[in-house]
Amino acid sequence: TEGLQFEVPHLACSVYYGALKDLPAMVRLWWNSQEKRVFSTVDKFTSKYVSGVLSAQEIASVQSSTQTFENMM
């Protein structure tokens, strides 16, 4: 049980991160339907721990892409 106190929150964070990465529209629908207290808590957590990581991954993906588009920098 000692290891579970760290494993369960870590697993929950991993599942949430994966859902945001792979199913962002579904997470947004869920998030928007929550009561204000949950909405606020999830918003703060996402802003603090997840948004920066996902943004950095998206930017790196775009920068490493070999595909080009006209008039796009």
Side-chain angles (χ1 to χ4, degrees), residues 6-18:
F6 298 110
E7 287 181 30
V8 172
H10 182 57
L11 178 61
C13 290
S14 294
V15 169
Y16 181 62
Y17 167 80

Side-chain angles (χ1 to χ4, degrees), residues 23-41:
L23 305 165
M26 237 178 179
V27 174
R28 188 179 312 112
L29 285 172
W30 168 81
W31 180 56
N32 286 329
S33 69
Q34 298 303 304
E35 62 185 42
K36 188 174 183 171
R37 184 180 57 84
V38 174
F39 181 95
S40 178
T41 302

Side-chain angles (χ1 to χ4, degrees), residues 49-68:
Y49 297 107
V50 184
S51 295
V53 174
L54 287 176
S55 296
Q57 288 177 346
E58 261 322 289
I59 291 169
S61 175
V62 168
Q63 289 175 341
S64 67
S65 175
T66 57
Q67 190 174 11
T68 58

